[in-house]
Amino acid sequence: FVNAQQPAVHIIPEPVEIKMTEGVFMLNPSSSISVSHADKDLERVAGMLSEELNRATGYKLPVRAPGIMTNNVGNILLEINKNADAVLGNEGYRLKVSGTTVQISANKPAGIYYGIQTFLQLLPKEIASPSVMNNVTWQAPNVEILDYPRFGWRGLMFDVSRHFFTKEEVKEFLDDMAKYKFNLMHWHLTDDEGWRIEIKTLPKLTETGAWNVKRVGTFGDFIPPTADEKRDYGGFYTHEDIREIVQYASDRFINILPEVDVPGHSLATIASYPELSCTPGAEKYRVRSGEKIMNWHSKGFTALVDNTLCPANEKVYTFLDKVFTEVARLFPFEYIHMGGDECAKNFWEKNPQILALMKREKLKDMHEVQSYFVKRVSNIISSKGKKMIGWDEILEGGLPKNAAVMSWRGVKGGIEAAKLGHEVVMSPTTFAYLDYMQTDRIIEPPVYATLRLKTSYSFEPVPDGVDPKLIKGGQGNIWTEQIYNTRHLQYMTWPRAFAISESVWSQKEKKNWENFVPRVESHFARFESAGKKYAPSMYDPVIKARK
């Protein structure tokens, strides 16, 4: 084994420190996994590693009882530190691969889990295969790695409202996230096109709000459905589904941030409960299928259909109290996302109830009307023992003290929020919108903007002049207006999510585009072994024709 050729190291995201040493480690049919002591999370992680290795190698890799070590060459030791290593924090790890053993040590099981993801990336690409691969030498280079994350919030947002994805598809998405050390899935559960979460006290939300008429083509330009077309496209998650997904994510050290998008983006809600609108004729509204409902122009947008909940309607706050009561019980994560983005106000401007509210509450303009709504929602969320986060529009008109801001319209909103003392998550369109085209529009399904991998890789979550303590981290956002299935979802997510992963995990000084590209190419080969789709768009030229 000593003379075996040492494989290259292509880890994503880039660790803090890598020291190469001579030789290789070999997995073999007698290999086993040992844990340092009895801990249910540690033993579960060891079992997950055993299953992962068994799937591709066929080796059994028994998990030994705590304290029992074997002298077998090829043993893997997972060790929780007796005395905390101050450098590692809660998610860091040390990985040492020698000719005979692999040792992963950490302060917490989460660190062990991340160390395992790195170890798997040291093995041949066939380790990603969904079935046993024969005639593979299961070796990893001898190496010492020190690693810990730069940020505590490392997320991907998954929009399941525009197109519904099944429970198993969500789990597959979580599996892919975990491999690259993401620890948060922002779950966009409600929008104009569908309400995806069962609320037992409000059954029409899923009886009516979860279903529309299937359309394909360019979203926003679909032919409006006729009254007699069957509304059977969509779906929702029951409480049992959500508990199962939350547990599945937790087993992989991923938190889930639920989003209920209000007061705009609420057509599915109004189609279910028209009394939550202040606009006459709301009882005729239907869940959107992708037909045009907004006019977008240089100064912003106006609604053709009022897709907002009415801030002047007390029934809205009673409704939201019921919704957030059930959401808070289902999701253990400390935050709930209330949306707050792209709220058209042209219907509000003419509404007598809104105008009366402005007079009563001394609100100067429509921004302050939305701020009034946001503050009331914040109080409801706080009453459930949760903190509120919203898109950067919630800054307009004033923001509750304890609210956090997710900056999507570039980094400007995040800078403003941080200067006001609010915690911020960066997810700017300019770097992190993974639904954008990846290459020339001649090649890709049309979306209104392009985001190349190299641009995505230049994402820096902490802008100059901002207190880094207020930047919780960052995330990539995957809106699914134009994404209909898992294969297309994978194509749009990877490799740009590699870039996001490295921007939120790796140390700023470790980021290097020239070094990143060969690692991406190596992971393309892993995706091929796994039978997963990815976009090779980084090889495509952008063509501009001139006369």
Side-chain angles (χ1 to χ4, degrees):
F1 296 158
V2 177
N3 296 322
Q5 186 177 0
Q6 198 168 43
V9 172
H10 287 139
I11 297 165
I12 298 175
E14 179 73 14
V16 172
E17 194 175 282
I18 303 175
K19 290 180 186 169
M20 303 295 296
T21 56
E22 287 287 319
V24 295
F25 165 86
M26 306 278 266
L27 274 178
N28 63 72
S30 300
S31 293
S32 63
I33 301 168
S34 299
V35 292
S36 59
H37 64 283
D39 178 291
K40 66 179 176 58
D41 285 330
L42 181 61
E43 290 167 0
R44 173 176 51 78
V45 165
M48 291 167 78
L49 173 60
S50 178
E51 284 177 26
E52 186 87 12
L53 294 172
N54 172 257
R55 193 183 64 241
T57 66
Y59 302 161
K60 295 294 183 197
L61 284 109
V63 178
R64 305 283 178 194
I68 296 178
M69 288 286 289
T70 71
N71 293 321
N72 294 342
V73 172
N75 191 53
I76 300 169
L77 172 62
L78 309 179
E79 186 174 31
I80 298 289
N81 297 322
K82 287 178 184 171
N83 299 309
D85 182 335
V87 173
L88 299 181
N90 291 334
E91 295 181 296
Y93 63 91
R94 293 182 189 270
L95 167 63
K96 184 176 181 180
V97 180
S98 70
T100 54
T101 58
V102 171
Q103 184 175 0
I104 302 172
S105 60
N107 295 333
K108 303 279 186 182
I112 298 289
Y113 185 75
Y114 296 130
I116 285 170
Q117 305 318 309
T118 296
F119 170 62
L120 291 169
Q121 292 187 23
L122 295 173
L123 291 168
K125 67 182 188 302
E126 290 84 1
I127 199 66
S129 169
S131 56
V132 173
M133 299 292 287
N134 297 313
N135 305 315
V136 177
T137 303
W138 297 108
Q139 65 179 28
N142 287 354
V143 66
E144 292 181 26
I145 293 174
L146 164 67
D147 202 11
Y148 47 84
R150 184 180 172 199
F151 294 102
W153 187 299
R154 306 183 303 279
L156 289 178
M157 190 219 72
F158 189 9
D159 168 15
V160 295
S161 179
R162 273 45 182 274
H163 287 98
F164 179 68
F165 289 79
T166 66
K167 179 173 68 175
E168 294 309 316
E169 288 171 328
V170 175
K171 286 181 179 179
E172 188 178 352
F173 185 78
L174 287 163
D175 284 336
D176 291 343
M177 286 179 65
K179 286 179 171 62
Y180 294 96
K181 303 184 177 76
F182 287 103
N183 69 349
L184 183 126
M185 185 180 82
H186 171 175
W187 210 3
H188 186 79
L189 288 162
T190 75
D191 215 298
D192 297 313
E193 296 75 25
W195 182 285
R196 303 297 180 211
I197 173 171
E198 177 188 32
I199 302 296
K200 289 185 185 291
T201 52
L202 297 160
K204 289 182 189 173
L205 286 171
T206 45
E207 288 168 7
T208 300
W211 309 96
N212 63 17
V213 177
K214 185 173 183 179
R215 288 284 189 268
V216 294
T218 303
F219 188 90
D221 292 327
F222 292 166
I223 298 165
T226 57
D228 59 347
E229 282 188 89
K230 201 168 182 184
R231 293 185 162 269
D232 58 359
Y233 184 61
F236 64 93
Y237 308 100
T238 65
H239 281 203
E240 292 71 28
D241 291 336
I242 287 169
R243 287 190 193 99
E244 186 180 327
I245 290 167
V246 166
Q247 185 59 53
Y248 191 86
S250 177
D251 287 347
R252 287 149 185 79
F253 302 93
I254 295 172
N255 284 306
I256 297 184
L257 167 70
E259 181 185 353
V260 174
D261 199 353
V262 290
H265 288 279
S266 293
L267 205 50
T269 309
I270 294 161
S272 307
Y273 293 97
E275 64 270 23
L276 301 177
S277 174
C278 334
T279 297
E283 65 280 355
K284 294 178 184 172
Y285 288 172
R286 297 291 177 265
V287 181
R288 186 189 185 204
S289 293
E291 66 275 18
K292 187 173 182 179
I293 63 167
M294 291 276 184
N295 265 332
W296 299 91
H297 45 79
S298 58
K299 292 183 181 176
F301 53 91
T302 50
L304 304 173
V305 172
D306 185 9
N307 68 338
T308 67
L309 301 182
C310 178
N313 185 344
E314 283 303 312
K315 290 178 184 173
V316 166
Y317 303 105
T318 305
F319 165 84
L320 289 174
D321 190 84
K322 290 179 180 178
V323 169
F324 289 125
T325 294
E326 295 191 33
V327 169
R329 285 175 186 159
L330 287 168
F331 293 93
F333 190 53
E334 62 184 317
Y335 285 92
I336 291 174
H337 201 300
M338 58 86 47
D341 62 314
E342 295 179 335
C343 178
K345 300 175 178 72
N346 51 300
F347 282 90
W348 291 3
E349 288 163 355
K350 304 170 194 165
N351 188 282
Q353 287 175 260
I354 299 277
L355 297 174
L357 172 73
M358 291 177 75
K359 188 174 180 182
R360 188 171 69 248
E361 298 292 333
K362 300 182 174 57
L363 307 174
K364 292 198 301 285
D365 56 26
M366 291 302 147
H367 289 314
E368 290 196 2
V369 171
Q370 180 162 340
S371 177
Y372 168 85
F373 175 87
V374 169
K375 285 168 183 169
R376 290 198 62 175
V377 172
S378 177
N379 288 338
I380 292 169
I381 290 173
S382 294
S383 76
K384 312 305 171 193
K386 302 290 186 180
K387 299 177 190 173
M388 189 187 81
I389 188 168
W391 301 112
D392 55 63
E393 284 96 331
I394 68 172
L395 282 162
E396 295 164 0
L399 188 58
K401 284 181 186 174
N402 59 349
V405 170
M406 192 169 277
S407 187
W408 73 276
R409 295 178 299 176
V411 297
K412 183 171 159 237
I415 294 169
E416 183 187 340
K419 287 187 173 170
L420 291 169
H422 295 280
E423 292 191 316
V424 173
V425 175
M426 287 293 189
S427 58
T429 56
T430 37
F431 303 102
Y433 265 44
L434 307 186
D435 57 311
Y436 283 7
M437 294 179 293
Q438 305 184 71
T439 183
D440 198 283
R441 61 177 56 250
I442 295 167
I443 300 168
E444 297 237 336
V447 183
Y448 49 87
T450 297
L451 176 62
R452 298 302 300 257
L453 177 64
K454 189 171 186 179
T455 304
S456 206
Y457 190 69
S458 65
F459 176 36
E460 168 46 48
V462 181
D464 292 340
V466 168
D467 182 355
K469 292 192 191 72
L470 291 171
I471 307 298
K472 296 178 74 63
Q475 64 181 46
N477 293 340
I478 304 155
W479 302 101
T480 61
E481 289 98 332
Q482 295 279 112
I483 300 173
Y484 297 85
N485 54 54
T486 291
R487 295 289 285 172
H488 194 185
L489 176 71
Q490 290 168 351
Y491 175 87
M492 298 304 287
T493 306
W494 310 101
R496 288 182 298 186
F498 296 158
I500 302 297
S501 161
E502 194 142 305
S503 295
V504 292
W505 175 281
S506 302
Q507 302 304 299
K508 185 177 179 179
E509 63 275 10
K510 297 293 288 188
K511 286 183 67 185
N512 180 307
W513 171 253
E514 301 299 328
N515 174 270
F516 180 64
V517 170
R519 288 185 286 125
V520 168
E521 292 177 314
S522 171
H523 284 255
F524 283 169
R526 289 174 180 271
F527 270 54
E528 284 164 15
S529 290
K532 292 185 184 292
K533 202 167 173 66
Y534 62 88
S537 313
M538 69 178 190
Y539 300 122
D540 295 341
V542 171
I543 300 158
K544 291 183 180 173
R546 285 198 299 267
K547 283 186 178 180

